[in-house]
Structure formats: C-alpha cells, structure tokens
Amino acid sequence: MPSHGVEEEDKPCRACSDFKSWAKKQNRVTFTAPTKQPPPKPKDCPLDKDELGKATWGFLHSMASYYPEKPSKAQSESMSKFFNIFAQFYPCEPCALDFQEDIKKHPPKTESRDKLAKWLCERHNTVNIKLGKPVFDCSKVHERWKDGWLDGSCD
Ligand SMILES: Cc1cc2nc3c(=O)[nH]c(=O)nc-3n(C[C@H](O)[C@H](O)[C@H](O)COP(=O)(O)OP(=O)(O)OC[C@H]3O[C@@H](n4cnc5c(N)ncnc54)[C@H](O)[C@@H]3O)c2cc1C
C-alpha cells in the first residue's frame, strides 16, 4: 500500500481535510480570533479535500463522457487499468481506501461510453450517499459533463 501521508502525525494531510479543519490543525490565528476577518485565501494554495474532489470528479466524468462509444479491446482494458491505478494513488487516503473497496465490488464497466459514464456516476453517488449529499440522476450525466442542459442554459 503506498504511503499517502495521513499517518505522518506531525504533518496533517491537507488533501484529506476540508480547509477549515486543516487550518485548525495548523493552529492558525485566523480561526482563533473570531472578531477579526481572516485574510482571503490566495488562489494558488494546495488543494484541500473538497477542492481536490470537485476537480477530480470533473476530470473523471468528462473523461467518461468523451470515452469512445465503441472502444477497442485495448482501450477498454486500458480504461479498467486506469481506474484501478487511480484508486491506489488518489491523494486522500481514506477516500482512496473506500474507493478501492467500492470498485472491487463494482469493477469498471468499460465496454462503451454510456456504460462507463453510468458506472462512474453510480460510484460518485456512493460517495454522495456516504457524505449525505443529494443523489445525482445518472440519466443526465452527459448533459452535465458533455452536451449541456437540454434547456439550453449552457449554450
Ligand atoms: C474518488 C473520490 C472519492 C472521494 N471520497 C471521499 C470521501 O470518502 N470522503 C470525503 O469527505 N470526500 C470524498 N471525496 C470528495 C467528495 O466526493 C466531493 O468531491 C467533495 O465533498 C466536494 O463536493 P461538492 O459538493 O463540491 O461536489 P462534488 O461531489 O465534488 O461534485 C461535483 C459536481 O459533480 C456533479 N455530480 C454530483 N454527483 C454526481 C454523480 N453521481 N455523477 C455525475 N455528476 C455528479 C454535480 O454537478 C456537482 O456539482 C471523494 C472524491 C473522489 C474523486
């Protein structure tokens, strides 16, 4: 199992924490003096767990929605390998461990674009349910990540 950093007790894992928890762990003055407004966070800081998650889902869903409709055998095998390797190295270790378990139970469906996009949507929904977030309607996954909403609001 690769080391992802949460076990390094003196150095908390930023990609495993939301920004506020991470800043508290660092004993930042900004969160111990409630009368003062914290300075705005610069835009070029390392990603926290939620920023990393949002950016990663954006990449993964876009990749699935642009995956070939009829992939070759080699493409299909490469995509399965990609998700297995991704699950080993995702830089939030608790997230990665749960995702590894989830894809063991539900291996990547790489036979077609639609199957891959639906499979990934379901994996994301598993995380949504765990975090108490709304479940996404997987019939709309290509509207969200490739074509834009049918009402034309993204055109
Ligand atoms: C593989 C992985 C595992 C993760 N595991 C954890 C974890 O164990 N614990 C934890 O705290 N965080 C985890 N995260 C982060 C978490 O999923 C969110 O990314 C984070 O909480 C930020 O959430 P958000 O509300 O910005 O929206 P996100 O969940 O990041 O979603 C981004 C956008 O995707 C769209 N969307 C939502 N659901 C779906 C879906 N099912 N299919 C398609 N599109 C959808 C919505 O438009 C949404 O605005 C994980 C992220 C990844 C990539």
Side-chain angles (χ1 to χ4, degrees):
M1 185 60 50
S3 167
H4 290 280
V6 278
E7 68 277 15
E8 296 169 35
E9 276 170 28
D10 53 333
K11 199 175 175 214
C13 166
R14 190 157 177 168
C16 306
S17 319
D18 61 75
F19 178 70
K20 273 194 179 174
S21 321
W22 184 84
K24 271 186 195 156
K25 277 189 218 154
Q26 304 285 94
N27 292 324
R28 285 213 165 175
V29 197
T30 50
F31 289 98
T32 52
T35 49
K36 276 193 184 169
Q37 276 294 91
K41 193 177 132 190
K43 292 207 186 311
D44 54 358
C45 295
L47 302 184
D48 68 20
K49 174 173 62 63
D50 290 346
E51 291 165 339
L52 177 69
K54 200 177 168 73
T56 303
W57 286 124
F59 160 64
L60 293 176
H61 289 298
S62 301
M63 180 174 68
S65 278
Y66 284 89
Y67 182 66
E69 286 175 28
K70 291 182 184 167
S72 65
K73 193 162 181 282
Q75 286 172 321
S76 166
E77 285 171 4
S78 294
M79 188 52 83
S80 295
K81 275 190 205 147
F82 168 85
F83 273 105
N84 282 296
I85 294 168
F86 164 85
Q88 285 180 55
F89 293 104
Y90 188 65
C92 159
E93 190 177 32
C95 310
L97 291 173
D98 280 1
F99 195 67
Q100 286 165 25
E101 285 304 308
D102 188 42
I103 67 170
K104 229 184 264 170
K105 280 187 248 156
H106 306 279
K109 292 199 174 161
T110 59
E111 311 91 289
S112 70
R113 172 187 296 173
D114 285 349
K115 286 199 173 153
L116 183 65
K118 181 169 183 284
W119 170 83
L120 183 63
C121 180
E122 288 167 358
R123 307 286 59 78
H124 192 167
N125 274 338
T126 300
V127 179
N128 288 342
I129 291 165
K130 181 174 77 173
L131 300 180
K133 291 181 193 253
V135 168
F136 186 88
D137 175 355
C138 291
S139 70
K140 298 191 185 325
V141 79
H142 294 314
E143 275 179 71
R144 170 66 179 91
W145 294 107
K146 183 168 174 290
D147 303 324
W149 301 114
L150 287 180
D151 65 8
S153 55
C154 300
D155 298 344

